[in-house]
Amino acid sequence: MNAQLSYQPHWVREDFVDFILQKIKPTFAWKRILAEVTGVQSLSKDMVLLTLKPNKNFDIAAVRAGQSILLTLMIHGVYHQRSYSIIDVTAQGEIRLGIKVQGLVSSAAQLLHVGDSIEISQAQGDFVLHQGQQSALLIASGSGITAIYSLLKQAVAQKLKEIHVVYFNRAEVFHQEILALAKQYPQLKYHFFNTAQQKQHLDTALLEKLVPNFKELQAYACGHHSMMRQAQEIYAQQDAASNFHQEFFQPVQIEQSNEAQPITFRRAQQNFIATTNLLSSAEQAGLRPQHGCRMGVCNRCSCTKVSGVTQNVITGEIDDQPNRAIKLCVSQALSPVTIDL
């Protein structure tokens, strides 16, 4: 009896397809979102305006003012990611980012040249303007003006009844543009403080002077940590925290669990004890799972939980179902867990 041989086809690997496509054009990809750098313009001595033309995998119609993207760069052979607010989308389908030198990725991003190709994410985040025409207060400091300027243009387009902008910066980034908007739209009240010339900080007295009814307005803040903490305290003290919205890009800080849990990486046949999030615990055990942003947004550390109970530390959601996708960086074990890694 003759043995019959059957052909077993294999799926084509996505990275191989991308390799071939990028020989045709650097931003061609099957699923990945790649973008070509089409402009690099100085905004100040330590901040640039980066213009990107994404490929067709980017859902440009879904972008909302105030949202951000993850920018991925390879630095010394290692992929690093950071979130940047989208300033606006141009009529040519380009997205503009304001990038200030304040870290590894930002420094590398400022060295990009026109024609370079980089990987980005879809637009993300819920730091977006409220619906309707209720008045708003926009507070910015430093590079936080990128998100606030985006919200400001949306507020004008949305015809909010009254718009207050309180802006602290030693560099006059977008200052002239906001002045021009204030001249064009009388409902816009602009309050700028050049902190290189005057030592003015955000406090309750200043807000009461500039915006007497600030507690009643929807407030949006983005900027330096000290200003953000002060804004949070002001709205908490005024019992108006429900009207306060903020944006900042920080790795998720997860408190250590009271109970250590045994974790198994099934394919790697590795076991370790988790006392904090699964990514950090694995790294403490000497393992190196794939990861990116450490904030639960880039999906690079997504994997399948075969069994066990985990909690998403951002949403608080508890997952006790088998064979569910989780993100290692924002998942904490509540029981012994087995992961398909």
Side-chain angles (χ1 to χ4, degrees):
M1 184 175 180
N2 295 329
Q4 293 184 353
L5 298 178
S6 60
Y7 173 66
Q8 298 292 333
H10 295 276
W11 291 109
V12 177
R13 286 171 56 99
E14 181 182 337
D15 55 355
F16 175 74
V17 174
D18 285 354
F19 174 79
I20 299 300
L21 290 174
Q22 285 159 38
K23 294 296 183 181
I24 303 171
K25 185 176 180 179
T27 56
F28 280 178
W30 185 2
K31 297 179 182 178
R32 294 164 63 211
I33 306 172
L34 302 178
E36 179 185 358
V37 178
T38 57
V40 182
Q41 175 186 345
S42 175
L43 290 175
S44 68
K45 65 179 182 180
D46 61 353
M47 191 170 182
V48 299
L49 180 68
L50 189 67
T51 305
L52 304 173
K53 177 69 173 179
N55 64 15
K56 292 184 178 180
N57 295 329
F58 184 74
D59 190 355
I60 204 158
V63 176
R64 298 177 65 189
Q67 289 188 310
S68 61
I69 60 168
L70 275 171
L71 189 152
T72 302
L73 293 177
M74 180 178 282
I75 304 171
H76 305 308
V78 179
Y79 283 108
H80 296 268
Q81 293 183 315
R82 193 178 187 280
S83 290
Y84 297 98
S85 295
I86 299 172
I87 296 171
D88 56 21
V89 176
T90 71
Q92 292 73 38
E94 298 168 314
I95 54 177
R96 300 198 305 163
L97 313 173
I99 298 181
K100 182 176 181 180
V101 174
Q102 50 190 3
L104 184 65
V105 179
S106 300
S107 298
Q110 290 216 347
L111 299 177
L112 291 170
H113 298 91
V114 171
D116 288 345
S117 177
I118 60 175
E119 184 171 356
I120 63 174
S121 71
Q122 297 286 5
Q124 58 194 12
D126 55 6
F127 188 64
V128 295
L129 203 64
H130 58 276
Q131 298 296 311
Q133 295 181 308
Q134 181 184 354
S135 300
L137 167 60
L138 310 178
I139 307 172
S141 68
S143 60
I145 189 58
T146 55
I148 294 300
Y149 183 54
S150 178
L151 288 183
L152 170 59
K153 291 195 290 183
Q154 177 61 32
V156 169
Q158 206 165 300
K159 299 181 179 180
L160 268 57
K161 294 178 181 178
E162 197 172 283
I163 308 165
H164 289 270
V165 176
V166 179
Y167 177 26
F168 307 87
N169 204 344
R170 61 176 55 251
E172 298 186 348
V173 177
F174 294 125
H175 174 55
Q176 294 301 324
E177 289 85 344
I178 301 175
L179 278 177
L181 285 174
K183 290 180 180 179
Q184 185 178 357
Y185 299 97
Q187 70 270 33
L188 171 55
K189 314 298 179 184
Y190 181 40
H191 317 280
F192 176 69
F193 299 93
N194 187 318
T195 53
Q197 300 173 2
Q198 60 181 123
K199 301 301 179 182
Q200 178 64 59
H201 301 285
L202 181 70
D203 56 33
T204 304
L206 180 66
L207 284 182
E208 289 178 337
K209 176 183 177 182
L210 300 178
V211 192
N213 62 335
F214 77 91
K215 292 181 291 184
E216 303 166 13
L217 308 186
Q218 293 295 313
Y220 302 82
C222 187
H224 295 142
H225 303 306
S226 58
M227 188 275 283
M228 298 293 285
R229 285 196 302 270
Q230 184 64 17
Q232 288 176 327
E233 291 176 7
I234 291 171
Y235 275 81
Q237 292 168 359
Q238 299 294 323
D239 196 26
S242 62
N243 289 341
F244 181 71
H245 315 274
Q246 60 186 331
E247 177 73 298
F248 53 91
F249 304 119
Q250 289 289 319
V252 178
Q253 299 296 321
I254 303 175
E255 295 182 1
Q256 183 164 315
S257 171
N258 291 328
E259 295 186 18
Q261 301 292 347
I263 310 299
T264 298
F265 279 6
R266 186 172 66 175
R267 282 185 284 136
Q269 297 184 343
Q270 296 287 339
N271 301 303
F272 60 94
I273 299 298
T275 56
T276 178
N277 71 76
L278 294 175
L279 175 60
S280 295
S281 294
E283 290 176 331
Q284 290 169 11
L287 304 177
R288 294 292 178 265
Q290 183 178 7
H291 66 277
C293 66
R294 294 181 179 271
M295 296 182 287
V297 290
C298 75
N299 292 314
R300 284 189 175 273
C301 66
S302 292
C303 56
T304 299
K305 172 175 65 69
V306 178
S307 64
V309 182
T310 57
Q311 182 174 28
N312 184 309
V313 297
I314 295 178
T315 65
E317 180 182 0
I318 294 176
D319 189 335
D320 60 0
Q321 298 299 307
N323 299 314
R324 296 287 290 271
I326 63 170
K327 300 174 184 179
L328 295 178
C329 68
V330 294
S331 294
Q332 197 153 10
L334 302 182
S335 77
V337 171
T338 298
I339 297 171
D340 188 28
L341 278 178

